[in-house]
Tab-separated table of all heavy atoms in Angstrom:
chain	number	residue	atom	x	y	z
X	115	GLU	N	-5.598	4.933	-4.342
X	115	GLU	CA	-5.920	3.978	-3.270
X	115	GLU	C	-7.133	4.442	-2.463
X	115	GLU	O	-7.055	4.640	-1.247
X	115	GLU	CB	-4.715	3.749	-2.366
X	115	GLU	CG	-3.574	3.036	-3.075
X	115	GLU	CD	-2.445	2.647	-2.126
X	115	GLU	OE1	-2.635	2.703	-0.896
X	115	GLU	OE2	-1.361	2.286	-2.626
X	116	ILE	N	-8.247	4.573	-3.137
X	116	ILE	CA	-9.472	5.019	-2.496
X	116	ILE	C	-10.346	3.821	-2.153
X	116	ILE	O	-10.582	2.949	-2.996
X	116	ILE	CB	-10.252	5.989	-3.411
X	116	ILE	CG1	-9.363	7.180	-3.787
X	116	ILE	CG2	-11.537	6.453	-2.745
X	116	ILE	CD1	-8.855	7.982	-2.622
X	117	VAL	N	-10.819	3.765	-0.928
X	117	VAL	CA	-11.683	2.669	-0.496
X	117	VAL	C	-13.070	2.861	-1.101
X	117	VAL	O	-13.697	3.907	-0.936
X	117	VAL	CB	-11.776	2.605	1.048
X	117	VAL	CG1	-12.752	1.502	1.465
X	117	VAL	CG2	-10.392	2.365	1.643
X	118	HIS	N	-13.521	1.853	-1.833
X	118	HIS	CA	-14.842	1.884	-2.473
X	118	HIS	C	-15.758	0.940	-1.699
X	118	HIS	O	-15.412	-0.217	-1.462
X	118	HIS	CB	-14.726	1.440	-3.931
X	118	HIS	CG	-15.990	1.574	-4.718
X	118	HIS	ND1	-16.420	2.765	-5.240
X	118	HIS	CD2	-16.914	0.647	-5.072
X	118	HIS	CE1	-17.551	2.584	-5.896
X	118	HIS	NE2	-17.876	1.308	-5.809
X	119	ILE	N	-16.924	1.424	-1.333
X	119	ILE	CA	-17.850	0.659	-0.483
X	119	ILE	C	-19.148	0.418	-1.231
X	119	ILE	O	-19.736	1.341	-1.799
X	119	ILE	CB	-18.143	1.410	0.830
X	119	ILE	CG1	-16.841	1.755	1.558
X	119	ILE	CG2	-19.044	0.583	1.743
X	119	ILE	CD1	-17.023	2.638	2.771
X	120	CYS	N	-19.605	-0.835	-1.250
X	120	CYS	CA	-20.889	-1.171	-1.863
X	120	CYS	C	-22.016	-0.635	-0.989
X	120	CYS	O	-22.068	-0.916	0.218
X	120	CYS	CB	-21.024	-2.678	-2.034
X	120	CYS	SG	-22.625	-3.212	-2.692
X	121	ASP	N	-22.946	0.118	-1.590
X	121	ASP	CA	-24.040	0.719	-0.837
X	121	ASP	C	-24.989	-0.326	-0.257
X	121	ASP	O	-25.636	-0.103	0.767
X	121	ASP	CB	-24.853	1.670	-1.743
X	121	ASP	CG	-24.046	2.874	-2.177
X	121	ASP	OD1	-23.095	3.233	-1.449
X	121	ASP	OD2	-24.356	3.445	-3.235
X	122	VAL	N	-25.060	-1.501	-0.910
X	122	VAL	CA	-26.013	-2.537	-0.489
X	122	VAL	C	-25.412	-3.487	0.544
X	122	VAL	O	-25.951	-3.685	1.632
X	122	VAL	CB	-26.507	-3.345	-1.708
X	122	VAL	CG1	-27.448	-4.471	-1.265
X	122	VAL	CG2	-27.206	-2.426	-2.711
X	123	SER	N	-24.244	-4.057	0.213
X	123	SER	CA	-23.650	-5.092	1.070
X	123	SER	C	-22.671	-4.549	2.101
X	123	SER	O	-22.355	-5.227	3.075
X	123	SER	CB	-22.938	-6.133	0.204
X	123	SER	OG	-21.806	-5.545	-0.437
X	124	GLY	N	-22.141	-3.355	1.849
X	124	GLY	CA	-21.105	-2.815	2.730
X	124	GLY	C	-19.724	-3.370	2.436
X	124	GLY	O	-18.763	-3.035	3.137
X	125	GLU	N	-19.593	-4.221	1.397
X	125	GLU	CA	-18.293	-4.776	1.014
X	125	GLU	C	-17.333	-3.646	0.634
X	125	GLU	O	-17.726	-2.665	0.004
X	125	GLU	CB	-18.478	-5.728	-0.175
X	125	GLU	CG	-17.204	-6.422	-0.631
X	125	GLU	CD	-17.460	-7.367	-1.803
X	125	GLU	OE1	-18.635	-7.564	-2.180
X	125	GLU	OE2	-16.470	-7.908	-2.330
X	126	LYS	N	-16.051	-3.806	1.012
X	126	LYS	CA	-15.054	-2.764	0.763
X	126	LYS	C	-13.887	-3.327	-0.040
X	126	LYS	O	-13.434	-4.444	0.197
X	126	LYS	CB	-14.502	-2.208	2.080
X	126	LYS	CG	-15.530	-1.573	3.006
X	126	LYS	CD	-14.854	-1.103	4.293
X	126	LYS	CE	-15.843	-0.508	5.270
X	126	LYS	NZ	-15.172	-0.069	6.519
X	127	HIS	N	-13.413	-2.513	-0.978
X	127	HIS	CA	-12.181	-2.834	-1.691
X	127	HIS	C	-11.407	-1.543	-1.952
X	127	HIS	O	-11.996	-0.471	-2.056
X	127	HIS	CB	-12.470	-3.555	-3.011
X	127	HIS	CG	-12.978	-4.955	-2.828
X	127	HIS	ND1	-12.162	-5.989	-2.448
X	127	HIS	CD2	-14.229	-5.465	-2.952
X	127	HIS	CE1	-12.884	-7.102	-2.353
X	127	HIS	NE2	-14.143	-6.810	-2.650
X	128	ARG	N	-10.104	-1.684	-2.070
X	128	ARG	CA	-9.219	-0.541	-2.275
X	128	ARG	C	-8.956	-0.378	-3.777
X	128	ARG	O	-8.244	-1.180	-4.388
X	128	ARG	CB	-7.915	-0.778	-1.523
X	128	ARG	CG	-6.960	0.393	-1.461
X	128	ARG	CD	-5.635	0.007	-0.822
X	128	ARG	NE	-5.771	-0.542	0.513
X	128	ARG	CZ	-5.542	-1.823	0.824
X	128	ARG	NH1	-5.177	-2.684	-0.101
X	128	ARG	NH2	-5.677	-2.229	2.058
X	129	ALA	N	-9.563	0.633	-4.396
X	129	ALA	CA	-9.363	0.883	-5.820
X	129	ALA	C	-8.005	1.538	-6.044
X	129	ALA	O	-7.591	2.404	-5.275
X	129	ALA	CB	-10.474	1.781	-6.349
X	130	ASP	N	-7.312	1.129	-7.113
X	130	ASP	CA	-6.028	1.764	-7.429
X	130	ASP	C	-6.220	3.264	-7.624
X	130	ASP	O	-5.487	4.079	-7.062
X	130	ASP	CB	-5.432	1.157	-8.707
X	130	ASP	CG	-4.907	-0.246	-8.484
X	130	ASP	OD1	-4.241	-0.477	-7.459
X	130	ASP	OD2	-5.165	-1.119	-9.328
X	131	ILE	N	-7.210	3.605	-8.457
X	131	ILE	CA	-7.546	5.007	-8.717
X	131	ILE	C	-9.062	5.148	-8.705
X	131	ILE	O	-9.769	4.323	-9.289
X	131	ILE	CB	-7.003	5.475	-10.089
X	131	ILE	CG1	-5.475	5.421	-10.130
X	131	ILE	CG2	-7.513	6.882	-10.441
X	131	ILE	CD1	-4.777	6.379	-9.188
X	132	LYS	N	-9.562	6.183	-8.041
X	132	LYS	CA	-10.985	6.529	-8.119
X	132	LYS	C	-11.063	8.033	-8.306
X	132	LYS	O	-10.666	8.808	-7.438
X	132	LYS	CB	-11.738	6.106	-6.859
X	132	LYS	CG	-13.247	6.389	-6.948
X	132	LYS	CD	-13.987	5.896	-5.718
X	132	LYS	CE	-15.482	6.181	-5.828
X	132	LYS	NZ	-16.229	5.679	-4.642
X	133	SER	N	-11.572	8.456	-9.471
X	133	SER	CA	-11.637	9.885	-9.768
X	133	SER	C	-12.735	10.543	-8.948
X	133	SER	O	-13.629	9.877	-8.413
X	133	SER	CB	-11.888	10.111	-11.263
X	133	SER	OG	-13.252	9.861	-11.583
X	134	ASP	N	-12.689	11.846	-8.889
X	134	ASP	CA	-13.709	12.561	-8.138
X	134	ASP	C	-15.069	12.519	-8.831
X	134	ASP	O	-16.084	12.890	-8.251
X	134	ASP	CB	-13.292	14.008	-7.862
X	134	ASP	CG	-12.986	14.792	-9.130
X	134	ASP	OD1	-13.102	14.213	-10.243
X	134	ASP	OD2	-12.627	15.974	-9.027
X	135	LYS	N	-15.091	12.017	-10.083
X	135	LYS	CA	-16.351	11.842	-10.806
X	135	LYS	C	-16.803	10.392	-10.810
X	135	LYS	O	-17.788	10.042	-11.461
X	135	LYS	CB	-16.209	12.380	-12.232
X	135	LYS	CG	-15.989	13.895	-12.286
X	135	LYS	CD	-15.823	14.383	-13.706
X	135	LYS	CE	-15.739	15.899	-13.739
X	135	LYS	NZ	-14.595	16.424	-12.966
X	136	GLY	N	-16.064	9.528	-10.100
X	136	GLY	CA	-16.528	8.164	-9.870
X	136	GLY	C	-15.998	7.086	-10.790
X	136	GLY	O	-16.415	5.933	-10.695
X	137	ILE	N	-15.065	7.413	-11.692
X	137	ILE	CA	-14.468	6.378	-12.535
X	137	ILE	C	-13.388	5.645	-11.750
X	137	ILE	O	-12.533	6.257	-11.124
X	137	ILE	CB	-13.887	6.975	-13.826
X	137	ILE	CG1	-15.011	7.446	-14.747
X	137	ILE	CG2	-13.024	5.945	-14.555
X	137	ILE	CD1	-14.535	8.007	-16.070
X	138	ILE	N	-13.444	4.321	-11.785
X	138	ILE	CA	-12.464	3.463	-11.113
X	138	ILE	C	-11.442	2.989	-12.143
X	138	ILE	O	-11.804	2.555	-13.243
X	138	ILE	CB	-13.146	2.234	-10.483
X	138	ILE	CG1	-14.238	2.646	-9.488
X	138	ILE	CG2	-12.109	1.325	-9.824
X	138	ILE	CD1	-13.741	3.322	-8.253
X	139	LEU	N	-10.176	3.057	-11.802
X	139	LEU	CA	-9.102	2.523	-12.635
X	139	LEU	C	-8.418	1.395	-11.884
X	139	LEU	O	-7.908	1.600	-10.783
X	139	LEU	CB	-8.091	3.624	-12.967
X	139	LEU	CG	-6.878	3.214	-13.808
X	139	LEU	CD1	-7.320	2.765	-15.188
X	139	LEU	CD2	-5.883	4.370	-13.925
X	140	GLU	N	-8.433	0.198	-12.463
X	140	GLU	CA	-7.720	-0.945	-11.907
X	140	GLU	C	-6.466	-1.177	-12.734
X	140	GLU	O	-6.542	-1.407	-13.956
X	140	GLU	CB	-8.604	-2.193	-11.907
X	140	GLU	CG	-9.660	-2.205	-10.814
X	140	GLU	CD	-9.062	-2.449	-9.424
X	140	GLU	OE1	-8.586	-1.471	-8.799
X	140	GLU	OE2	-9.069	-3.602	-8.965
X	141	ILE	N	-5.315	-1.133	-12.097
X	141	ILE	CA	-4.017	-1.268	-12.755
X	141	ILE	C	-3.540	-2.693	-12.512
X	141	ILE	O	-3.124	-3.041	-11.409
X	141	ILE	CB	-3.032	-0.234	-12.185
X	141	ILE	CG1	-3.617	1.184	-12.315
X	141	ILE	CG2	-1.684	-0.318	-12.886
X	141	ILE	CD1	-2.899	2.237	-11.487
X	142	GLN	N	-3.617	-3.535	-13.560
X	142	GLN	CA	-3.446	-4.975	-13.379
X	142	GLN	C	-2.137	-5.466	-13.979
X	142	GLN	O	-1.940	-5.455	-15.195
X	142	GLN	CB	-4.634	-5.721	-14.018
X	142	GLN	CG	-4.717	-7.184	-13.664
X	142	GLN	CD	-5.008	-7.438	-12.183
X	142	GLN	OE1	-5.605	-6.599	-11.518
X	142	GLN	NE2	-4.612	-8.592	-11.687
X	143	ASN	N	-1.253	-5.934	-13.114
X	143	ASN	CA	0.059	-6.410	-13.546
X	143	ASN	C	0.060	-7.898	-13.866
X	143	ASN	O	0.744	-8.341	-14.775
X	143	ASN	CB	1.091	-6.122	-12.454
X	143	ASN	CG	2.481	-6.583	-12.823
X	143	ASN	OD1	3.052	-6.121	-13.798
X	143	ASN	ND2	3.030	-7.508	-12.053
X	144	SER	N	-0.711	-8.684	-13.146
X	144	SER	CA	-0.701	-10.138	-13.290
X	144	SER	C	-1.970	-10.631	-13.979
X	144	SER	O	-2.978	-9.918	-14.021
X	144	SER	CB	-0.558	-10.795	-11.915
X	144	SER	OG	-1.620	-10.392	-11.070
X	145	PRO	N	-1.956	-11.857	-14.527
X	145	PRO	CA	-3.173	-12.418	-15.123
X	145	PRO	C	-4.291	-12.495	-14.085
X	145	PRO	O	-4.035	-12.587	-12.884
X	145	PRO	CB	-2.732	-13.815	-15.569
X	145	PRO	CG	-1.253	-13.730	-15.709
X	145	PRO	CD	-0.802	-12.764	-14.655
X	146	ILE	N	-5.517	-12.454	-14.569
X	146	ILE	CA	-6.671	-12.468	-13.678
X	146	ILE	C	-7.643	-13.549	-14.146
X	146	ILE	O	-7.781	-13.794	-15.357
X	146	ILE	CB	-7.353	-11.076	-13.666
X	146	ILE	CG1	-8.417	-10.988	-12.578
X	146	ILE	CG2	-7.922	-10.725	-15.026
X	146	ILE	CD1	-8.971	-9.584	-12.385
X	147	SER	N	-8.287	-14.205	-13.210
X	147	SER	CA	-9.265	-15.226	-13.582
X	147	SER	C	-10.543	-14.557	-14.066
X	147	SER	O	-10.848	-13.413	-13.703
X	147	SER	CB	-9.577	-16.136	-12.389
X	147	SER	OG	-10.303	-15.417	-11.396
X	148	LEU	N	-11.304	-15.270	-14.879
X	148	LEU	CA	-12.568	-14.734	-15.377
X	148	LEU	C	-13.522	-14.466	-14.225
X	148	LEU	O	-14.239	-13.455	-14.219
X	148	LEU	CB	-13.194	-15.718	-16.372
X	148	LEU	CG	-14.533	-15.307	-16.984
X	148	LEU	CD1	-14.427	-13.962	-17.685
X	148	LEU	CD2	-15.023	-16.378	-17.950
X	149	GLU	N	-13.530	-15.338	-13.226
X	149	GLU	CA	-14.405	-15.161	-12.070
X	149	GLU	C	-14.081	-13.853	-11.335
X	149	GLU	O	-14.992	-13.085	-10.984
X	149	GLU	CB	-14.267	-16.346	-11.114
X	149	GLU	CG	-15.153	-16.236	-9.880
X	149	GLU	CD	-14.959	-17.407	-8.932
X	149	GLU	OE1	-14.058	-18.236	-9.164
X	149	GLU	OE2	-15.715	-17.493	-7.946
Side-chain angles (χ1 to χ4, degrees):
E115 293 187 13
I116 303 301
V117 177
H118 186 80
I119 305 173
C120 176
D121 294 335
V122 177
S123 67
E125 183 179 354
K126 300 178 182 179
H127 290 286
R128 189 186 303 110
D130 287 316
I131 297 295
K132 183 177 180 179
S133 76
D134 57 0
K135 294 179 175 60
I137 290 182
I138 303 293
L139 178 64
E140 284 287 83
I141 305 166
Q142 192 66 26
N143 180 61
S144 58
I146 189 171
S147 69
L148 180 57
E149 180 182 7

